[in-house]
Amino acid sequence: MVDMWSLGVILYVMLCGKPPFYGDSHKEILAAVQKGLYTLSHPPFRLCSLEVKDLISKLIHKEPLKRITAVDAFDHPWVKQQIEEESRNLVIDPSVF
């Protein structure tokens, strides 16, 4: 089973370049994770769509029962948009077949 929270953290890091939860020690980082407080206002996020920010917030929701599922994440508008864009530009070399 995929850990959706971890997927959200990875997506956050990929888009921002830093983790959503931070502190000066492991104890402080863990406390930040437990509080579930993070920001999507770092400068790199200014270039990100509202859809991907929405996906991140649904993936790293503090309460597991309110967190988005893998199926819901796959059906999220941002993911659908990425799949559509990728398939539009996809070129498969004939040697693959």
Side-chain angles (χ1 to χ4, degrees), residues 75-87:
D75 286 335
H76 190 276
W78 185 79
V79 174
K80 293 242 185 236
Q81 178 186 7
Q82 300 311 305
I83 293 169
E84 183 180 315
E85 183 69 25
E86 183 67 26
S87 63

Side-chain angles (χ1 to χ4, degrees), residues 61-69:
H61 196 286
K62 179 182 173 184
E63 297 180 44
L65 294 177
K66 293 185 179 179
R67 200 171 296 144
I68 195 170
T69 66

Side-chain angles (χ1 to χ4, degrees), residues 34-46:
Q34 290 172 334
K35 290 177 186 172
L37 300 177
Y38 62 93
T39 181
L40 292 169
S41 64
H42 294 297
F45 283 118
R46 291 186 197 135

Side-chain angles (χ1 to χ4, degrees), residues 13-29:
V13 172
M14 289 174 64
L15 295 173
C16 179
K18 57 179 83 175
F21 306 102
Y22 52 90
D24 292 329
S25 67
H26 291 300
K27 187 176 181 177
E28 287 181 14
I29 294 169

